Every structure is written in C-alpha cells, then in structure tokens.
Coordinates of all heavy atoms in Angstrom, one line a residue:
M22 N 0.8 -1.2 0.0 CA 0.0 0.0 0.0 C 0.9 1.3 0.0 O 0.6 2.2 -0.7 CB -0.9 0.0 1.2 CG -2.0 1.0 1.2 SD -3.1 0.8 -0.2 CE -4.4 1.9 0.2
R23 N 2.0 1.2 0.8 CA 2.8 2.4 0.9 C 3.5 2.7 -0.5 O 3.6 3.8 -0.9 CB 3.9 2.1 1.9 CG 4.8 3.3 2.2 CD 5.7 3.0 3.4 NE 6.6 4.1 3.6 CZ 6.3 5.2 4.2 NH1 5.1 5.4 4.7 NH2 7.2 6.2 4.4
T24 N 3.8 1.6 -1.2 CA 4.4 1.8 -2.6 C 3.3 2.4 -3.5 O 3.7 3.3 -4.3 CB 4.8 0.4 -3.1 OG1 5.7 -0.2 -2.2 CG2 5.4 0.5 -4.5
F25 N 2.1 2.1 -3.3 CA 1.0 2.6 -4.2 C 1.0 4.1 -4.0 O 0.9 4.9 -4.9 CB -0.3 1.9 -3.9 CG -1.4 2.4 -4.8 CD1 -1.4 1.9 -6.1 CD2 -2.4 3.2 -4.4 CE1 -2.4 2.2 -7.0 CE2 -3.4 3.6 -5.3 CZ -3.4 3.1 -6.6
I26 N 1.0 4.6 -2.7 CA 0.9 6.0 -2.4 C 2.1 6.7 -3.1 O 2.0 7.7 -3.7 CB 0.9 6.3 -0.9 CG1 -0.5 5.8 -0.4 CG2 1.1 7.7 -0.6 CD1 -0.6 5.8 1.1
S27 N 3.3 6.1 -2.9 CA 4.5 6.7 -3.5 C 4.4 6.7 -5.0 O 4.8 7.7 -5.6 CB 5.7 5.8 -3.1 OG 6.9 6.3 -3.7
D28 N 3.8 5.7 -5.6 CA 3.6 5.8 -7.0 C 2.7 6.9 -7.5 O 2.9 7.5 -8.5 CB 3.0 4.4 -7.5 CG 4.1 3.3 -7.5 OD1 5.3 3.6 -7.4 OD2 3.7 2.2 -7.6
C29 N 1.7 7.2 -6.7 CA 0.7 8.3 -7.0 C 1.5 9.6 -6.8 O 1.3 10.5 -7.7 CB -0.5 8.3 -6.1 SG -1.6 6.9 -6.4
Q30 N 2.3 9.7 -5.8 CA 3.1 10.9 -5.7 C 4.0 11.1 -6.9 O 4.1 12.2 -7.5 CB 3.9 10.9 -4.4 CG 3.1 11.0 -3.2 CD 3.9 10.8 -1.9 OE1 4.9 10.2 -1.9 NE2 3.4 11.3 -0.8
R31 N 4.7 10.1 -7.3 CA 5.5 10.2 -8.5 C 4.7 10.4 -9.7 O 5.1 11.2 -10.6 CB 6.3 8.9 -8.6 CG 7.2 8.9 -9.9 CD 8.4 7.9 -9.7 NE 9.1 7.8 -11.0 CZ 9.9 8.7 -11.5 NH1 10.1 9.8 -10.8 NH2 10.5 8.5 -12.6
A32 N 3.6 9.8 -9.8 CA 2.7 10.0 -11.0 C 2.3 11.5 -11.1 O 2.3 12.1 -12.2 CB 1.5 9.1 -11.0
T33 N 1.9 12.1 -10.0 CA 1.4 13.5 -10.1 C 2.6 14.4 -10.4 O 2.4 15.4 -11.1 CB 0.7 13.9 -8.8 OG1 1.6 13.7 -7.7 CG2 -0.6 13.2 -8.6
L34 N 3.8 14.1 -9.9 CA 4.9 14.9 -10.3 C 5.2 14.8 -11.8 O 5.5 15.8 -12.4 CB 6.2 14.4 -9.5 CG 7.5 15.0 -9.8 CD1 7.5 16.5 -9.4 CD2 8.6 14.3 -9.1
L35 N 5.1 13.6 -12.3 CA 5.3 13.4 -13.7 C 4.3 14.1 -14.6 O 4.5 14.7 -15.6 CB 5.4 11.9 -14.1 CG 6.6 11.1 -13.6 CD1 6.5 9.6 -13.9 CD2 7.9 11.7 -14.1
I36 N 3.0 14.1 -14.1 CA 1.9 14.8 -14.8 C 2.2 16.3 -14.8 O 2.1 16.9 -15.9 CB 0.6 14.5 -14.1 CG1 0.2 13.1 -14.3 CG2 -0.5 15.5 -14.5 CD1 -0.9 12.6 -13.4
E37 N 2.7 16.8 -13.7 CA 3.1 18.2 -13.7 C 4.3 18.5 -14.6 O 4.3 19.5 -15.4 CB 3.4 18.7 -12.3 CG 2.1 18.7 -11.4 CD 1.0 19.5 -11.9 OE1 1.2 20.6 -12.5 OE2 -0.2 19.1 -11.7
R38 N 5.3 17.7 -14.6 CA 6.5 17.9 -15.4 C 6.1 17.8 -16.9 O 6.7 18.6 -17.7 CB 7.5 16.9 -15.1 CG 8.3 17.3 -13.8 CD 9.5 16.4 -13.5 NE 10.2 16.0 -14.7 CZ 10.8 14.8 -14.8 NH1 10.8 13.9 -13.8 NH2 11.5 14.5 -15.9
R39 N 5.2 16.9 -17.3 CA 5.0 16.7 -18.7 C 4.2 17.9 -19.3 O 4.1 18.1 -20.5 CB 4.2 15.4 -19.0 CG 2.8 15.4 -18.7 CD 2.1 14.1 -19.1 NE 0.7 14.2 -18.8 CZ -0.2 13.2 -19.0 NH1 0.3 12.1 -19.5 NH2 -1.4 13.4 -18.6
A40 N 3.6 18.7 -18.4 CA 2.9 19.9 -18.9 C 3.9 20.9 -19.4 O 3.6 21.8 -20.2 CB 2.1 20.5 -17.8
D41 N 5.2 20.9 -18.9 CA 6.2 21.8 -19.2 C 7.2 21.3 -20.2 O 7.9 22.0 -20.9 CB 6.9 22.3 -18.0 CG 6.0 23.0 -17.0 OD1 5.1 23.7 -17.5 OD2 6.2 22.9 -15.8
Q42 N 7.4 20.0 -20.2 CA 8.4 19.4 -21.0 C 8.1 18.0 -21.4 O 7.2 17.3 -20.7 CB 9.8 19.4 -20.3 CG 9.7 18.5 -19.0 CD 10.9 18.7 -18.1 OE1 11.3 19.8 -17.8 NE2 11.5 17.6 -17.7
Q43 N 8.7 17.5 -22.5 CA 8.4 16.1 -22.9 C 9.2 15.2 -21.9 O 10.4 15.4 -21.7 CB 8.9 15.8 -24.3 CG 8.5 14.4 -24.7 CD 8.7 14.2 -26.2 OE1 9.2 15.0 -26.9 NE2 8.4 13.0 -26.7
L44 N 8.5 14.2 -21.4 CA 9.2 13.3 -20.5 C 10.1 12.3 -21.3 O 9.7 11.9 -22.4 CB 8.2 12.5 -19.7 CG 7.3 13.3 -18.7 CD1 6.2 12.4 -18.1 CD2 8.1 14.1 -17.7
P45 N 11.1 11.8 -20.7 CA 11.9 10.7 -21.3 C 11.0 9.4 -21.4 O 10.0 9.3 -20.7 CB 13.0 10.4 -20.3 CG 13.1 11.6 -19.5 CD 11.7 12.2 -19.4
L46 N 11.3 8.6 -22.4 CA 10.5 7.4 -22.7 C 10.2 6.6 -21.5 O 9.0 6.2 -21.2 CB 11.1 6.6 -23.8 CG 10.4 5.3 -24.2 CD1 9.0 5.7 -24.8 CD2 11.2 4.5 -25.2
A47 N 11.2 6.3 -20.6 CA 11.0 5.5 -19.5 C 10.0 6.1 -18.5 O 9.1 5.3 -18.0 CB 12.3 5.3 -18.7
E48 N 10.0 7.4 -18.3 CA 9.0 8.0 -17.4 C 7.6 8.0 -18.1 O 6.6 7.9 -17.4 CB 9.5 9.4 -17.1 CG 10.7 9.4 -16.2 CD 11.2 10.8 -15.8 OE1 11.0 11.7 -16.5 OE2 11.8 10.9 -14.7
R49 N 7.6 8.2 -19.4 CA 6.3 8.2 -20.1 C 5.6 6.8 -19.9 O 4.4 6.7 -19.7 CB 6.4 8.5 -21.6 CG 6.7 10.0 -21.8 CD 6.5 10.3 -23.3 NE 7.2 9.4 -24.2 CZ 8.1 9.8 -25.0 NH1 8.5 11.1 -25.1 NH2 8.7 8.9 -25.8
V50 N 6.4 5.8 -20.0 CA 5.9 4.4 -19.9 C 5.4 4.2 -18.4 O 4.4 3.6 -18.2 CB 7.0 3.4 -20.3 CG1 6.5 2.0 -19.9 CG2 7.2 3.5 -21.8
Q51 N 6.3 4.6 -17.5 CA 5.9 4.5 -16.1 C 4.5 5.2 -15.8 O 3.7 4.7 -15.1 CB 6.9 5.0 -15.1 CG 8.2 4.2 -15.1 CD 9.3 4.9 -14.3 OE1 9.2 6.1 -13.9 NE2 10.5 4.3 -14.2
L52 N 4.4 6.4 -16.3 CA 3.2 7.2 -16.1 C 2.0 6.5 -16.8 O 1.0 6.4 -16.2 CB 3.4 8.6 -16.6 CG 2.2 9.6 -16.4 CD1 1.8 9.7 -14.9 CD2 2.5 10.9 -16.9
W53 N 2.2 6.1 -18.0 CA 1.2 5.4 -18.7 C 0.7 4.2 -17.9 O -0.5 4.0 -17.8 CB 1.6 5.0 -20.1 CG 0.6 4.2 -20.9 CD1 -0.4 4.7 -21.6 CD2 0.5 2.8 -20.9 NE1 -1.2 3.7 -22.1 CE2 -0.7 2.5 -21.7 CE3 1.2 1.7 -20.3 CZ2 -1.1 1.2 -21.9 CZ3 0.8 0.5 -20.6 CH2 -0.3 0.2 -21.4
A54 N 1.6 3.4 -17.4 CA 1.2 2.2 -16.7 C 0.5 2.6 -15.4 O -0.5 2.0 -15.0 CB 2.5 1.4 -16.3
H55 N 0.9 3.6 -14.7 CA 0.3 4.0 -13.5 C -1.1 4.5 -13.8 O -2.1 4.2 -13.1 CB 1.1 5.1 -12.7 CG 0.5 5.4 -11.4 ND1 0.7 4.7 -10.3 CD2 -0.4 6.4 -11.1 CE1 0.0 5.2 -9.3 NE2 -0.7 6.3 -9.7
L56 N -1.3 5.4 -14.8 CA -2.6 5.9 -15.2 C -3.5 4.8 -15.6 O -4.7 5.0 -15.4 CB -2.4 7.0 -16.3 CG -1.7 8.3 -15.9 CD1 -1.6 9.2 -17.0 CD2 -2.4 9.0 -14.7
H57 N -3.0 3.8 -16.2 CA -3.8 2.7 -16.6 C -4.5 2.0 -15.4 O -5.6 1.5 -15.5 CB -3.0 1.6 -17.4 CG -3.8 0.5 -18.0 ND1 -4.7 0.7 -19.0 CD2 -3.8 -0.8 -17.6 CE1 -5.2 -0.5 -19.3 NE2 -4.7 -1.4 -18.5
L58 N -3.8 2.0 -14.3 CA -4.2 1.3 -13.1 C -4.9 2.2 -12.0 O -5.6 1.7 -11.1 CB -3.1 0.6 -12.4 CG -2.4 -0.5 -13.2 CD1 -1.1 -1.0 -12.5 CD2 -3.3 -1.6 -13.5
C59 N -4.7 3.5 -12.1 CA -5.1 4.4 -11.0 C -6.1 5.4 -11.5 O -5.7 6.4 -12.2 CB -3.8 5.1 -10.4 SG -4.2 6.1 -9.0
A60 N -7.3 5.3 -11.0 CA -8.4 6.2 -11.4 C -8.1 7.6 -10.8 O -8.5 8.6 -11.4 CB -9.7 5.7 -11.0
Y61 N -7.5 7.7 -9.6 CA -7.3 9.0 -9.0 C -6.3 9.8 -9.8 O -6.6 11.0 -10.0 CB -6.8 8.8 -7.6 CG -7.7 8.0 -6.7 CD1 -7.4 6.7 -6.3 CD2 -8.9 8.6 -6.3 CE1 -8.3 6.0 -5.5 CE2 -9.8 7.9 -5.5 CZ -9.5 6.6 -5.1 OH -10.4 5.9 -4.3
C62 N -5.3 9.2 -10.2 CA -4.3 9.9 -11.0 C -4.8 10.3 -12.4 O -4.5 11.3 -13.0 CB -2.9 9.2 -11.1 SG -2.1 9.3 -9.5
R63 N -5.6 9.4 -13.0 CA -6.3 9.7 -14.3 C -7.1 11.0 -14.1 O -7.1 11.9 -15.0 CB -7.1 8.6 -14.8 CG -6.4 7.4 -15.4 CD -7.3 6.5 -16.2 NE -8.4 6.0 -15.5 CZ -8.4 4.9 -14.8 NH1 -7.3 4.2 -14.7 NH2 -9.5 4.5 -14.2
R64 N -7.8 11.0 -13.0 CA -8.7 12.2 -12.8 C -7.8 13.4 -12.6 O -8.0 14.5 -13.1 CB -9.6 12.0 -11.6 CG -10.5 13.2 -11.3 CD -11.4 13.0 -10.3 NE -12.3 11.9 -10.7 CZ -13.2 11.2 -9.9 NH1 -13.3 11.6 -8.6 NH2 -13.9 10.3 -10.3
Y65 N -6.7 13.3 -11.8 CA -5.8 14.4 -11.6 C -5.2 14.8 -13.0 O -5.0 16.1 -13.2 CB -4.6 13.9 -10.7 CG -3.7 15.0 -10.4 CD1 -3.9 16.0 -9.4 CD2 -2.5 15.2 -11.1 CE1 -3.1 17.0 -9.1 CE2 -1.6 16.2 -10.8 CZ -1.9 17.1 -9.8 OH -1.0 18.1 -9.5
A66 N -4.8 13.9 -13.8 CA -4.2 14.2 -15.1 C -5.2 15.1 -16.0 O -4.8 15.9 -16.8 CB -3.8 13.0 -15.9
V67 N -6.5 14.8 -15.8 CA -7.5 15.6 -16.6 C -7.7 17.0 -15.9 O -7.8 18.0 -16.6 CB -8.8 14.8 -16.7 CG1 -9.9 15.7 -17.2 CG2 -8.6 13.6 -17.5
Q68 N -7.8 17.0 -14.6 CA -8.1 18.2 -13.9 C -7.0 19.2 -13.8 O -7.2 20.4 -13.8 CB -8.7 17.9 -12.5 CG -10.0 17.2 -12.6 CD -10.5 16.8 -11.2 OE1 -9.8 16.8 -10.2 NE2 -11.8 16.6 -11.1
S69 N -5.7 18.7 -13.7 CA -4.6 19.6 -13.4 C -4.4 20.6 -14.5 O -4.3 21.8 -14.2 CB -3.3 18.7 -13.3 OG -2.2 19.6 -13.1
P70 N -4.5 20.2 -15.8 CA -4.3 21.3 -16.8 C -5.5 22.3 -16.8 O -5.3 23.5 -17.1 CB -4.3 20.5 -18.2 CG -4.0 19.1 -17.8 CD -4.5 18.9 -16.4
A71 N -6.7 21.8 -16.5 CA -7.8 22.8 -16.4 C -7.6 23.8 -15.3 O -7.9 25.0 -15.4 CB -9.1 22.0 -16.2
L72 N -7.1 23.3 -14.1 CA -6.9 24.2 -13.0 C -5.8 25.2 -13.3 O -5.8 26.3 -13.0 CB -6.5 23.4 -11.8 CG -7.7 22.6 -11.1 CD1 -7.1 21.7 -10.0 CD2 -8.7 23.6 -10.6
A73 N -4.7 24.7 -14.0 CA -3.6 25.6 -14.4 C -4.1 26.7 -15.4 O -3.8 27.8 -15.2 CB -2.5 24.8 -15.1
R74 N -5.0 26.3 -16.3 CA -5.6 27.3 -17.2 C -6.4 28.3 -16.5 O -6.3 29.5 -16.7 CB -6.5 26.6 -18.3 CG -5.8 26.2 -19.6 CD -6.8 25.8 -20.7 NE -7.8 24.9 -20.3 CZ -7.6 23.6 -20.2 NH1 -6.4 23.1 -20.6 NH2 -8.5 22.8 -19.8
A75 N -7.3 27.8 -15.6 CA -8.1 28.7 -14.8 C -7.3 29.7 -13.9 O -7.6 30.9 -13.9 CB -9.1 27.9 -13.9
A76 N -6.2 29.2 -13.3 CA -5.3 30.0 -12.5 C -4.6 31.1 -13.4 O -4.5 32.2 -13.0 CB -4.3 29.2 -11.8
R77 N -4.2 30.6 -14.6 CA -3.5 31.6 -15.5 C -4.5 32.7 -15.9 O -4.2 33.9 -15.9 CB -3.0 30.8 -16.7 CG -1.8 31.4 -17.3 CD -1.1 30.5 -18.4 NE -1.9 29.5 -19.0 CZ -1.9 28.2 -18.8 NH1 -1.0 27.7 -17.9 NH2 -2.6 27.3 -19.4
L78 N -5.7 32.3 -16.3 CA -6.7 33.3 -16.7 C -7.1 34.3 -15.5 O -7.2 35.5 -15.7 CB -8.0 32.6 -17.2 CG -7.9 31.9 -18.5 CD1 -9.1 31.1 -18.8 CD2 -7.6 32.9 -19.6
T79 N -7.2 33.7 -14.3 CA -7.5 34.6 -13.2 C -6.3 35.5 -12.9 O -6.6 36.7 -12.6 CB -7.7 33.7 -11.9 OG1 -8.8 32.8 -12.2 CG2 -8.0 34.5 -10.7
A80 N -5.1 35.1 -13.1 CA -4.0 36.0 -12.8 C -3.9 37.0 -13.9 O -3.4 38.1 -13.6 CB -2.7 35.1 -12.8
Q81 N -4.3 36.8 -15.1 CA -4.2 37.7 -16.2 C -5.4 38.7 -16.2 O -5.3 39.8 -16.7 CB -4.2 37.0 -17.5 CG -3.0 36.2 -17.8 CD -3.1 35.3 -19.0 OE1 -4.1 35.2 -19.6 NE2 -1.9 34.8 -19.4
A82 N -6.5 38.4 -15.5 CA -7.7 39.2 -15.5 C -7.5 40.5 -14.7 O -6.9 40.3 -13.6 CB -8.9 38.4 -15.0
P83 N -7.9 41.6 -15.1 CA -7.8 42.8 -14.3 C -8.6 42.7 -13.1 O -9.8 42.2 -13.1 CB -8.2 43.9 -15.2 CG -9.0 43.3 -16.3 CD -8.5 41.9 -16.4
S84 N -8.1 43.1 -11.9 CA -8.9 43.0 -10.7 C -10.0 44.1 -10.7 O -9.7 45.3 -11.0 CB -8.0 43.2 -9.5 OG -8.7 43.3 -8.3
T85 N -11.2 43.8 -10.4 CA -12.3 44.7 -10.2 C -12.6 44.9 -8.8 O -13.6 45.6 -8.5 CB -13.5 44.3 -11.0 OG1 -13.9 43.0 -10.6 CG2 -13.2 44.2 -12.5
A86 N -11.9 44.3 -7.9 CA -12.3 44.4 -6.5 C -11.9 45.8 -6.0 O -10.8 46.3 -6.2 CB -11.5 43.3 -5.7
R87 N -12.8 46.4 -5.3 CA -12.6 47.7 -4.7 C -13.1 47.7 -3.2 O -14.1 47.1 -2.9 CB -13.3 48.8 -5.4 CG -12.9 48.9 -6.9 CD -11.6 49.7 -7.0 NE -11.1 49.9 -8.3 CZ -10.2 49.1 -8.9 NH1 -9.6 48.2 -8.3 NH2 -9.9 49.3 -10.2
L88 N -12.3 48.3 -2.4 CA -12.8 48.5 -1.0 C -13.8 49.6 -0.9 O -13.7 50.6 -1.7 CB -11.6 48.8 -0.1 CG -10.5 47.8 0.1 CD1 -9.4 48.4 0.9 CD2 -11.1 46.6 0.8
P89 N -14.8 49.5 0.0 CA -15.7 50.7 0.2 C -14.8 51.9 0.6 O -13.9 51.7 1.4 CB -16.6 50.2 1.3 CG -16.5 48.7 1.3 CD -15.2 48.4 0.8
S90 N -15.2 53.1 0.1 CA -14.3 54.2 0.4 C -14.2 54.5 1.8 O -13.1 54.9 2.3 CB -14.9 55.5 -0.4 OG -16.2 55.7 0.1
D91 N -15.2 54.4 2.6 CA -15.1 54.6 4.1 C -14.2 53.6 4.7 O -13.3 54.0 5.6 CB -16.4 54.7 4.8 CG -17.2 53.4 4.6 OD1 -17.0 52.7 3.6 OD2 -18.1 53.1 5.5
F92 N -14.2 52.4 4.3 CA -13.3 51.4 4.9 C -11.9 51.7 4.5 O -10.9 51.6 5.3 CB -13.7 50.0 4.4 CG -12.8 48.9 5.0 CD1 -12.9 48.4 6.3 CD2 -11.8 48.4 4.2 CE1 -12.1 47.5 6.7 CE2 -10.9 47.4 4.6 CZ -11.1 46.9 5.9
A93 N -11.7 52.1 3.2 CA -10.3 52.3 2.7 C -9.7 53.5 3.5 O -8.5 53.5 3.9 CB -10.3 52.6 1.3
A94 N -10.5 54.5 3.8 CA -10.0 55.7 4.5 C -9.7 55.3 6.0 O -8.7 55.7 6.5 CB -11.1 56.8 4.5
Q95 N -10.5 54.5 6.6 CA -10.3 54.0 8.0 C -9.0 53.2 8.0 O -8.2 53.4 8.9 CB -11.5 53.3 8.4 CG -11.4 52.8 9.9 CD -12.6 52.0 10.3 OE1 -13.3 51.4 9.4 NE2 -12.9 51.9 11.6
L96 N -8.9 52.3 7.1 CA -7.7 51.5 7.0 C -6.4 52.3 6.8 O -5.4 52.1 7.5 CB -7.8 50.5 5.9 CG -6.7 49.5 5.7 CD1 -6.5 48.6 7.0 CD2 -6.9 48.6 4.5
Q97 N -6.5 53.3 6.0 CA -5.3 54.2 5.7 C -4.9 54.9 7.0 O -3.8 55.0 7.3 CB -5.6 55.1 4.6 CG -4.4 55.9 4.2 CD -3.2 55.0 3.7 OE1 -3.5 54.2 2.7 NE2 -2.1 55.1 4.3
R98 N -6.0 55.4 7.7 CA -5.7 56.1 9.0 C -5.0 55.2 10.0 O -4.0 55.6 10.6 CB -7.0 56.6 9.6 CG -7.4 58.0 9.0 CD -8.5 58.6 9.9 NE -9.7 57.8 10.1 CZ -10.7 57.7 9.2 NH1 -10.7 58.4 8.1 NH2 -11.7 56.9 9.5
R99 N -5.4 54.0 10.1 CA -4.8 53.0 11.0 C -3.4 52.7 10.6 O -2.5 52.5 11.4 CB -5.7 51.7 11.1 CG -7.0 52.0 11.8 CD -7.8 50.8 12.1 NE -7.2 50.2 13.3 CZ -7.5 49.0 13.8 NH1 -8.5 48.4 13.2 NH2 -6.9 48.5 14.8
L100 N -3.2 52.6 9.3 CA -1.8 52.3 8.8 C -0.9 53.5 9.1 O 0.3 53.3 9.3 CB -1.8 52.0 7.3 CG -2.5 50.6 6.9 CD1 -2.6 50.5 5.4 CD2 -1.6 49.5 7.5
D101 N -1.4 54.7 9.0 CA -0.6 55.9 9.3 C -0.3 56.1 10.8 O 0.6 56.9 11.1 CB -1.3 57.1 8.7 CG -1.3 57.1 7.1 OD1 -0.5 56.3 6.6 OD2 -2.2 57.8 6.5
E102 N -1.1 55.5 11.6 CA -0.9 55.7 13.1 C 0.5 55.2 13.5 O 0.9 54.1 13.0 CB -1.9 54.9 13.9 CG -3.3 55.5 13.8 CD -4.3 54.7 14.6 OE1 -4.0 53.7 15.2 OE2 -5.5 55.1 14.5
P103 N 1.2 55.9 14.3 CA 2.4 55.3 14.8 C 2.2 54.1 15.7 O 1.2 54.1 16.4 CB 3.1 56.5 15.6 CG 2.0 57.5 15.8 CD 0.9 57.2 14.8
S104 N 3.0 53.2 15.6 CA 2.8 52.0 16.4 C 3.4 52.1 17.8 O 4.1 52.9 18.2 CB 3.3 50.7 15.7 OG 4.7 50.9 15.3
Ligands
ZN8 ZN1 -2.2 7.1 -8.7

C-alpha cells in the first residue's frame, strides 16, 4: 500500500512535469502504466491542466475588487498611526 501512495506521488509529479516538457520514454511508460491502473491519477491528469488554465486566466484578468471608500479611509488612518 505504501508503494502505491509513493507511485501516486511520483505520477502526479510526472503529470506536472509533462505539462512543461516532454518526459523521457521510461518516465512516459511508467506514467502510462500508473494511469492505466489508478483512477485517482487519471482524474488528476485531466483536472490539473484545467486548473492551471483557470489560474492563469485569473492571474491575467484585471482586478475589479474595490474596498468601500469609508473602509479604505479608515484602514489608511490606521496604517498611518504610529505603532
Ligand atoms: Zn495514482
């Protein structure tokens, strides 16, 4: 069982690495074999790129969040107070 968890850790690492670079053949085969047997990592392999895309889009989107003006003024006064 411990080996299985370790294999999942290695598989998720390989899934992340293959998003940035082509894996060597031996690692591609290991990952393929693990994904063939492990539904959790198969799901991770599908969801991980979608999460990365969503995070990238969120980081690129301009922020529209604004503090209420009275709260911003109160916060600025507190920051300006000597400690
Ligand atoms: Zn796994």
Side-chain angles (χ1 to χ4, degrees):
M22 189 64 169
R23 187 170 175 80
T24 301
F25 187 74
I26 291 171
S27 176
D28 286 346
C29 289
Q30 290 174 337
R31 178 156 172 73
T33 54
L34 177 67
L35 293 177
I36 289 165
E37 294 301 324
R38 280 186 40 215
R39 81 175 177 182
D41 296 329
Q42 64 192 46
Q43 183 171 7
L44 298 175
L46 179 62
E48 290 180 333
R49 286 194 311 243
V50 170
Q51 290 171 357
L52 181 59
W53 176 85
H55 185 83
L56 293 177
H57 186 70
L58 298 172
C59 181
Y61 299 111
C62 288
R63 279 197 307 272
R64 183 172 297 169
Y65 182 84
V67 170
Q68 292 177 343
S69 179
L72 288 172
R74 265 193 313 277
R77 210 170 22 255
L78 289 174
T79 300
Q81 293 171 348
S84 174
T85 57
R87 297 284 180 258
L88 293 174
S90 61
D91 57 333
F92 178 80
Q95 183 183 21
L96 180 61
Q97 188 61 56
R98 278 194 304 274
R99 293 190 74 183
L100 289 172
D101 292 341
E102 288 177 2
S104 53

